[in-house]
Amino acid sequence: NAGVTQTPKFQVLKTGQSMTLQCAQDMNHEYMSWYRQDPGMGLRLIHYSVGAGITDQGEVPNGYNVSRSTTEDFPLRLLSAAPSQTSVYFCASSYSAGQIGYEQYFGPGTRLTVT
Amino acid sequence: GIQVEQSPPDLILQEGANSTLRCNFSDSVNNLQWFHQNPWGQLINLFYIPSGTKQNGRLSATTVATERYSLLYISSSQTTDSGVYFCAVPSGAGSYQLTFGKGTKLSVIP
């Protein structure tokens, strides 16, 4: 298993540009999510999905869109990049079964700089 | 929402020394994870430990859910242990969302 994969590893955008961060997992996990990590802070949840066709907002969703058309993929879209979105982005996945928490696995991250 | 506090925020160790990192959380949880973020930025799963004690080589973790804390022990530290250690718990009852502490930055010097 490749686990959770993310592309690209690094990206530089100009203010106002759009792009999509890709995330895929091959563990048949139902739950997937996106976090951002800023200097000196832990990770904060942007959006999450409990299955194909189902998405919801996390703690810091503004400026980001997501969709989940397949179990494997959960892309994160920045429609109009802003310098405040400069951050490291992590995708995560886990099993999903009722309300029992399961171990989450993280991808390697995408380092995004918006100038 | 739930609050997660980690201590100490920074720790410098001589290679070979032992250390204990602490994670306090403000509400009952049904799971807890410890991660190591290495100097390359990767988040590595260390322990999934809702309660009790687990060991993996030189690392072990104990969670006392009733008292709302978890401890991560690192014995015989090595320079490769350097990085930031995070604990994370569900944001609420039945939630898959994780709330992270701000981490403990560990530097192991030769």
Side-chain angles (χ1 to χ4, degrees):
Chain A
N1 284 353
V4 181
T5 59
Q6 292 183 236
T7 56
K9 286 189 170 55
F10 301 94
Q11 183 71 49
V12 178
L13 290 178
K14 292 188 188 316
T15 298
Q17 287 184 317
S18 63
M19 80 158 295
T20 299
L21 280 62
Q22 301 292 344
C23 174
Q25 51 89 12
D26 62 358
M27 298 175 283
N28 202 30
H29 286 170
E30 292 177 343
Y31 177 78
M32 296 185 74
S33 58
W34 279 100
Y35 290 83
R36 61 177 288 172
Q37 183 179 30
D38 300 298
M41 303 185 71
L43 280 70
R44 294 182 292 167
L45 183 69
I46 304 171
H47 284 285
Y48 66 97
S49 168
V50 297
I54 306 169
T55 63
D56 207 343
Q57 297 180 350
E59 181 184 351
V60 288
N62 292 341
Y64 307 95
N65 278 357
V66 292
S67 60
R68 182 99 178 268
S69 56
T70 67
T71 299
E72 295 77 21
D73 300 297
F74 191 44
L76 179 72
R77 282 183 288 276
L78 284 70
L79 298 179
S80 179
S84 61
Q85 294 178 305
T86 294
S87 189
V88 181
Y89 292 85
F90 289 96
C91 179
S93 75
S94 75
Y95 288 110
S96 166
Q99 295 191 340
I100 301 172
Y102 284 85
E103 186 172 8
Q104 294 197 27
Y105 296 87
F106 283 78
T110 294
R111 187 175 296 273
L112 176 67
T113 302
V114 183
T115 61
Chain B
I2 194 166
Q3 305 296 315
V4 181
E5 294 184 358
Q6 291 186 241
S7 60
D10 294 280
L11 187 58
I12 300 174
L13 293 178
Q14 201 77 38
E15 198 168 23
N18 303 329
S19 63
T20 301
L21 283 58
R22 188 176 180 102
C23 173
N24 291 337
F25 40 95
S26 61
D27 206 347
S28 301
V29 298
N30 64 3
N31 76 64
L32 182 144
Q33 287 187 244
W34 282 98
F35 297 91
H36 174 216
Q37 187 165 39
N38 64 24
W40 295 271
Q42 280 187 296
L43 274 169
I44 298 164
N45 288 37
L46 295 178
F47 294 101
Y48 171 73
I49 182 167
S51 62
T53 296
K54 290 186 178 180
Q55 178 145 14
N56 184 2
R58 296 181 294 104
L59 273 59
S60 65
T62 295
T63 295
V64 184
T66 53
E67 296 187 23
R68 300 179 186 172
Y69 73 89
S70 183
L71 301 174
L72 178 69
Y73 306 95
I74 304 174
S75 64
S76 304
S77 58
Q78 300 176 357
T79 55
T80 51
D81 295 330
S82 296
V84 183
Y85 291 80
F86 290 103
C87 69
V89 299
S91 302
S95 174
Y96 293 96
Q97 303 172 50
L98 293 178
T99 294
F100 283 76
K102 293 192 175 179
T104 292
K105 183 177 179 181
L106 175 64
S107 301
V108 180
I109 54 178

